[in-house]
Each structure stands twice: as C-alpha cells, then as structure tokens.
Amino acid sequence: MTATAEPVAQVVSGLKSGPFHDRLVAHNRQQAWMNWMGYASPSVLDSVEFEYFAIRNQSTLFDISPMCKYAITGPDAEAVLNRLVTRDIRKLKPGRVAYCIWLDEDGQVVDDGTVFRLSETEFRLCCQEPQLSWLEDIAWGFDVSISDVTRDIAGLALQGPTSCALLKDLGLAGIETLKTFGIAEFAIGGADVTISRTGFTGDLGYELWIAPADALTIWDALMGAGKLRGLRVIGYEALDMARIEAGFLLPKVDFLSAQTVLRPDRANTPYELGLEWLVTLDKPHFNGRRALLDLSGQTPPRKLVAIEIERDKPAHNALVYHKKSREVGMVTSALWSPTCKRNIAYAWLDAPYGQSVTTDLWVEIYLQKEIRWQRRMARCHPASRPFFSHPRRTATPPADY
C-alpha cells in the first residue's frame, strides 16, 4: 500500500485502498467504485461491454486483494481442513488447489472458497466472507496455527485467452506446463510471485499472489507485456457476467451463508445448491456430515437450477411460474450471454419444479420502453451448467492466441 493511496480512496468512496489502488484510479474513467470487504473495488472502469469481451477474447486484470485469506499451518493442518470442508483434503497434493464448501452442524452451507495446499503442513484458504472465528472453532484441540493473512498477500486475476502467452512474454519459463488448479513459483521484475491456474471466469486464466510491497512492480510489468496481448483492466460487472456463464455461484446473490441468515429456512444444503459433487460422505467426520447422511437420497424441498429463457431480455429478479399461474420460484442471477447467445439465469425453484417437473415453466419479466413498464411472460426450461465451457480453460499447454 502506498502512502498516498489511502486518502485518495477515502475521497473517492469512503473506503480503504488496496495495494493496486493508485493504478486502478488511473484506469477508472467512470470513477465507479463498490465496497468489497471495506476496500474500494472498481465496478466498471471504462465500459462493461469492452471489459467483458476482453475476458473472452484478450486478457484482463482484476484486483482480488480484498478476498479473505487465511494461513493454516502445523502438524494437524490437513486434519483441520478435512474437518472443515466436505471434500477429502487428504487427496489434495502439495502444489494443488481445490474448490470447497463448508457447513454448519445442520448441513447448511457456511461459505465456499479455494484451498491451496502449499506443502504437507501448510495450507491457504481464500474465500469471500470473514471466517477466522469459524476456523478457530474448528481447530480447537488440534496442533495447528491459524492466521488472517488478507493484508499480507496482494492478488491479481489475469484471465483470458492470451493470458498464458502474456506470462511467457515476461519470461516465465514453464508457465505453459502449469495444469488447471496447479501452483508454481516464479519471479517477475525481481519480485517473487506465486501463480495458480485458477479463476472465476471459466476461461483460461491465472491468479497471481504477491507481497503488497511488490504490487506495483508486478502490475507495471504485466501492463507493459500486455500491450501486444490486448490486456485490459476490468471491474466487477464484467467479471459477474463471465462467472454466470461459467456456472459459478455467488454468496449474497445466489445463496446466503448459514452464519448470516436471520430466518432458518433461508440457509441451504449442498444438495439444494447443486453442489453434491463436492461432498465426500465416506471420508472421516466433517462438520455437517451427520445431517447430510440423514438428507442423502431425499428430494430437496427447493433447488437452485440453471435455466434458459426464450427471447433476449434478462430476467433480473423475476418470479418463476408453472403454467403462468402458480408461483414456484425466483431468479437470483440473470444475463443475456453475448458469447453463448442465450438468455440464461439461475433460479430457486420449489420441489418438484425444476426437478421432476420441467415443462410449462415461465418467468415474469418487466421491461421499460419509453418510460412505460411492460410485463412479459417468457417460457423457460432447466439447463445444465456451465453455460460456457471452452477447451482452452484446461488445455496444457494453452495455445498462443
């Protein structure tokens, strides 16, 4: 963090500034900022259309420094993580990353995130919501150290078809051999960088983890190398479009953490979220396992499903009906996908709709035309996710686009 960044951020948005803030201010022509864990994060810098198409056709940079990051180290670190998440962490090898969820004792999802296994006894957990107190409760009685390292690690998401070629232009020998969900160590401009082949766009991409003191050095090196690769700085709105296409769910949008809900029926199980593929019931005990065993094989009372909608108007916050009359659910995320050329969304549907009943479903969309609102009933049907899946995401080595 630079000495001048903090006052600038407070003037702009009343929020704290991160290690890349000076550079973000220079690129943010719209001066559109949002609150991400108390930090000023750009929602859109230039044009959401330009930024979105850069993700799918060029390379993009997005500051992920505000993401919550926790170090879990010690002889019992593996046991603690395995006690926390629903996947079997014993199968995660050093130098690999796994997407995980964790639950409360009732089997309701607390949060999701990525677990980085840096060595046999060293892990890092990255997530959207603060989890320190939850981690400390889980680790009670284990020989392990847990610390919040959010401010100790700056992060950049470098995503898009030309991202690997860009890193090779910087002299990162061997980056093309890094497999999806792999981790490797490199140096850029004399600064150490940990690079993981991970991201939130469903496309070819990487995440760079660096010391805050080296943040601007890394940024400037990437921007210099990116001139010939179409590198563009992006904000949250473009990233949100890409994550909907890629099939990723977002806390506080598609579901609520079991820690924060005020009404018990607002929390959700992995089966309701369609995340049963993340659950390993035959591993040692983890939080929520007993509850999931009781629920296993039962039809969820409601389920978050991907849907496709006729015509081209996004169904933001729309209600879902059966036979145009019975209200059976609501849309959480919606998008006319410029890449897929499909009208897509995620929606909560009450059983049996979206599960055994998949026909004669409709969404109620309101359109404003020349300051007058019009109501449209559009047919929809369940779809499989992700909506966008390109072979370059997992190709090793990636092509030089």
Side-chain angles (χ1 to χ4, degrees), residues 4-17 21 25 33 38 40:
T4 59
E6 186 75 22
V8 174
Q10 290 177 350
V11 170
V12 170
S13 60
L15 300 171
K16 294 178 290 185
S17 60
H21 186 77
V25 167
W33 301 92

Side-chain angles (χ1 to χ4, degrees), residues 85-394:
V85 303
T86 60
R87 298 186 78 168
D88 194 344
I89 292 300
R90 298 174 302 176
K91 297 180 180 180
L92 184 65
K93 297 179 180 179
R96 300 291 296 168
V97 185
Y99 173 59
C100 299
I101 57 173
W102 49 100
L103 319 175
D104 65 10
E105 62 275 10
D106 296 320
Q108 312 286 355
V109 175
V110 172
D111 204 352
D112 67 343
T114 46
V115 174
F116 291 66
R117 184 159 199 167
L118 306 177
S119 71
E120 290 292 341
T121 60
E122 183 181 7
F123 295 81
R124 182 185 301 156
L125 176 66
C126 296
C127 52
Q128 293 290 330
E129 300 293 323
Q131 297 292 328
L132 183 59
S133 60
W134 189 260
L135 288 169
E136 290 175 337
D137 287 345
I138 294 292
W140 183 262
F142 288 91
D143 186 3
V144 67
S145 174
I146 296 176
S147 56
D148 186 338
V149 294
T150 300
R151 296 193 179 189
D152 300 330
I153 303 172
L156 283 173
L158 175 66
Q159 304 282 303
T162 66
S163 56
C164 183
L166 190 159
L167 292 175
K168 288 199 293 184
D169 291 345
L170 277 172
L172 273 62
I175 186 65
E176 69 278 4
T177 65
L178 186 64
K179 295 181 179 180
T180 308
F181 293 107
I183 310 170
E185 301 291 334
F186 295 94
I188 298 177
D192 293 332
V193 184
T194 299
I195 298 182
S196 56
R197 190 168 168 182
T198 51
F200 206 51
T201 64
D203 214 316
L204 174 63
Y206 304 84
E207 291 177 330
L208 287 68
W209 311 95
I210 53 189
D214 297 323
L216 299 187
T217 297
I218 301 298
W219 177 286
D220 293 341
L222 290 169
M223 294 302 294
K227 291 180 180 179
L228 298 179
R229 301 293 180 179
L231 182 61
R232 178 182 288 272
V233 184
I234 66 168
Y236 167 80
E237 292 185 22
L239 181 65
D240 190 52
M241 295 173 65
R243 71 93 187 165
I244 294 173
E245 292 176 334
F248 295 123
L249 306 182
L250 193 65
K252 293 185 178 178
V253 176
D254 299 307
F255 69 96
L256 297 176
S257 168
Q259 283 185 299
T260 62
V261 294
L262 299 178
R263 299 168 179 82
D265 64 345
R266 297 300 193 268
N268 308 114
T269 70
Y271 304 136
E272 293 172 332
L273 288 168
L275 298 177
E276 54 273 5
W277 62 277
L278 291 173
V279 177
T280 306
L281 289 175
D282 59 356
K283 75 166 194 171
H285 180 73
F286 59 87
N287 219 45
R289 181 175 180 272
R290 293 188 183 93
L292 292 190
L293 284 171
D294 292 339
L295 294 172
S296 183
Q298 298 182 20
T299 299
R302 59 187 177 276
K303 193 163 186 176
L304 184 66
V305 300
I307 60 173
E308 184 172 354
I309 304 163
E310 66 179 10
R311 303 176 72 175
D312 61 352
K313 298 301 180 184
H316 297 299
N317 303 311
L319 295 178
V320 183
Y321 293 86
H322 184 239
K323 295 183 178 180
K324 296 186 179 182
S325 59
R326 180 186 178 93
E327 182 183 326
V328 297
M330 58 166 287
V331 170
T332 58
S333 296
L335 171 72
W336 165 256
S337 169
T339 298
C340 303
K341 300 297 187 288
R342 299 164 66 188
N343 195 6
I344 60 178
Y346 302 128
W348 279 106
L349 298 181
D350 298 330
Y353 305 101
Q355 298 182 59
S356 60
V357 178
T358 59
T359 59
D360 214 353
L361 296 173
W362 301 77
V363 293
E364 182 181 39
I365 302 174
Y366 284 86
L367 312 173
Q368 191 180 53
K369 293 186 176 181
E370 297 186 67
I371 74 170
R372 294 189 179 184
W373 286 98
Q374 297 181 359
R375 177 177 178 266
R376 172 185 294 176
M377 295 295 287
R379 188 184 297 273
C380 69
H381 59 84
S384 59
R385 70 175 197 245
F387 296 101
F388 173 86
S389 180
H390 198 285
R392 66 180 173 236
R393 175 178 175 267
T394 57

